Amino acid sequence: DTGVSQNPRHKITKRGQNVTFRCDPISEHNRLYWYRQTLGQGPEFLTYFQNEAQLEKSRLLSDRFSAERPKGSFSTLEIQRTEQGDSAMYLCASSHPTLDTQYFGPGTRLTVL
Amino acid sequence: ILNVEQSPQSLHVQEGDSTNFTCSFPSSNFYALHWYRWETAKSPEALFVMTLNGDEKKKGRISATLNTKEGYSYLYIKGSQPEDSATYLCAFDQTGANNLFFGTGTRLTVIP
């Protein structure tokens, strides 16, 4: 399977714990995006990388959130001191340098108890 | 945050019926309009990227039209099948700056 992969698919954690999600993009895609979808809403943009550079961050990305893409390949999204409001589906997408289509992974569903 | 609206929120149709949904978006500063199909427990699947006013795109039984001047796009499904059951999302790209603004989706259920 050469699509975008995300791990884990599901994560249940207690409030106050830290969690980290991983995204592996399609291999020739240099752009990588993170989105969050809460119940009843469409996905909302969080952040965007071109290669290893984080070029844009949404105001939704509070100080507790940090994303990295150290070698321009896979990316991690860490949430520190999780809150119940962080419960959501976290989606990763990647795109080719010359094309507009963003290809999505299956998402990581986070539940904060 | 840009206002992207989709209607209806949900739709039930009989197998074989044709159906359509609407996506409305701001009519100023348009770059592209994306359509995705998202089946439960799967990845959102890209259907179309539309960039030109009057654009019409087709993929099998699914087609889409675009009106950038009035800020809307229609998605049509001809002869709906149970496997078409999914949430259909549109996403507005205002500047090509890579962050998509999604609508809340239309959830389609096709009844056999």
Side-chain angles (χ1 to χ4, degrees):
Chain A
D1 185 13
T2 57
V4 178
S5 62
Q6 292 187 245
N7 288 288
R9 294 289 304 274
H10 303 273
K11 179 71 178 178
I12 300 174
T13 192
K14 291 183 179 179
R15 190 172 50 188
Q17 298 295 304
N18 299 344
V19 293
T20 300
F21 311 139
R22 176 177 170 128
C23 170
D24 287 89
I26 294 171
S27 59
E28 65 267 26
H29 289 185
N30 70 336
R31 298 178 182 175
L32 187 146
Y33 317 80
W34 286 99
Y35 292 83
R36 178 176 69 186
Q37 187 199 29
T38 53
L39 198 61
Q41 302 298 315
E44 296 171 295
F45 172 80
L46 293 178
T47 190
Y48 154 66
F49 289 86
Q50 183 160 302
N51 300 311
E52 64 274 11
Q54 188 174 20
L55 296 185
E56 192 170 350
K57 289 169 62 172
S58 163
R59 281 173 285 182
L60 292 174
L61 215 63
S62 77
D63 292 344
R64 298 183 297 105
F65 287 70
S66 62
E68 294 183 344
R69 195 182 183 198
K71 297 182 181 178
S73 56
F74 72 91
S75 175
T76 57
L77 178 68
E78 181 183 15
I79 308 174
Q80 296 182 324
R81 305 180 303 282
T82 52
E83 301 173 356
Q84 287 184 324
D86 297 331
S87 295
M89 173 74 84
Y90 289 84
L91 290 162
C92 174
S94 68
S95 69
H96 188 275
T98 60
L99 300 174
D100 292 320
T101 302
Q102 294 185 20
Y103 294 88
F104 282 82
T108 295
R109 181 168 293 284
L110 173 66
T111 303
V112 182
L113 302 175
Chain B
I1 295 181
L2 301 175
N3 196 25
V4 179
E5 295 185 349
Q6 291 189 245
S7 62
Q9 283 191 339
S10 66
L11 192 56
H12 288 72
V13 301
Q14 290 291 137
E15 181 176 353
D17 287 351
S18 294
T19 187
N20 63 85
F21 332 128
T22 304
C23 172
S24 62
F25 50 86
S27 56
S28 58
N29 296 328
F30 177 87
Y31 180 82
L33 193 284
H34 300 242
W35 280 101
Y36 287 87
R37 173 170 62 198
W38 195 359
E39 295 178 66
T40 303
K42 294 187 178 179
S43 305
E45 174 195 356
L47 292 175
F48 305 114
V49 180
M50 309 181 79
T51 56
L52 298 175
N53 185 43
D55 227 359
E56 291 189 29
K57 296 217 171 177
K58 188 174 180 182
K59 184 177 181 178
R61 294 180 291 98
I62 304 176
S63 60
T65 61
L66 179 68
N67 183 324
T68 60
K69 295 191 186 308
E70 296 182 38
Y72 65 83
S73 175
Y74 293 136
L75 187 80
Y76 301 90
I77 303 178
K78 185 177 178 182
S80 302
Q81 300 296 308
E83 59 264 31
D84 296 328
S85 296
T87 296
Y88 291 81
L89 291 162
C90 70
F92 176 62
D93 184 346
Q94 189 178 39
T95 63
N98 302 295
N99 51 331
L100 299 180
F101 293 91
F102 281 85
T104 54
T106 293
R107 184 173 183 85
L108 173 68
T109 303
V110 181
I111 303 163

